[in-house]
Amino acid sequence: MNSAIINNQNSKITSINKQLRELYVNHIDGLNTMYGQLESHNIRNYTAPYLIHIWEDEYLKAAKKVMIIGQETNEWNDICVRSGQDVDEVITTYKDFDYGSNYHTPFWKYVEIINKMINGDDTPYNHSVVVNNINKFGKGDGNGRPDGLVTQFENKYFNVLRDEMRIVQPDACIFLTGPDYDDDIRQKFPNASFSPVEGYETRELARVSAAGLPLAFRTYHPGFGQRCSEWYEQVLSTIVNVI
């Protein structure tokens, strides 16, 4: 292979995280506006934004490059991101959390299960997939949605999921968000449509189509899925078989 082509490919491989960091830094003005708006409403119970990192060697060697998207964080770093240094600190939080390697909840359990379904049992823990959230900001003191204005201002001033998708270029996305978050998906992908998959109600499993999305599916959050684990793993197998 031509050495210039090889060098170009290596440049692309090493640039994913750099591009993500630049994306976040370029939105600092928007974040500062968001913080000011929330302060004016006396709203302070929210986390730092969920800024992702890619383990590039594992991700780019995966059988399929897949982004798994949850709802929002269950607590998180709580600093206000106002500088590049703050961006680096929150990305370090994401890296140190290491895909929930010491945090045993249904979501991270099923991240590992999906990863092994796609890439095999001998795959490194779960870095071959990318984990993201549909909403970048969670509550500062527990799980669940933050105040509605937090999400409203996020969508206005820090709506970066489509750009993350463009940079990371997954082959497929799995939204583990449940049907109650379909409007949140539409806030990130305004023309998103949800179509049924044979054998399932649309609330249970849907194909998600939108500009800027690769092959994508939405099903229930693992917190629900674990209560009927055999059925839920069948749903996940249906998704993986198509992927």
Side-chain angles (χ1 to χ4, degrees), residues 195-202 204-207 217 231 234-235 237-239 242:
S195 54
V197 174
E198 184 177 359
Y200 298 94
E201 299 291 333
T202 306
E204 298 172 336
L205 174 61
R207 170 79 181 269
F217 295 89
W231 177 86
Q234 179 183 335
V235 172
S237 293
T238 298
I239 294 171
V242 176

Side-chain angles (χ1 to χ4, degrees), residues 150-189:
V150 176
T151 303
Q152 179 181 322
F153 291 144
E154 174 194 330
N155 290 330
K156 185 174 182 179
Y157 299 112
F158 195 69
N159 200 333
V160 298
L161 182 56
R162 278 175 293 178
D163 289 318
E164 290 174 327
M165 204 77 66
R166 171 183 52 79
I167 292 167
V168 176
Q169 296 184 15
D171 298 313
C173 291
I174 304 174
F175 291 92
L176 299 181
T177 50
D180 292 343
Y181 280 70
D182 286 356
D183 284 343
D184 296 274
I185 295 174
R186 292 188 183 98
Q187 289 294 324
K188 271 60 179 185
F189 300 93

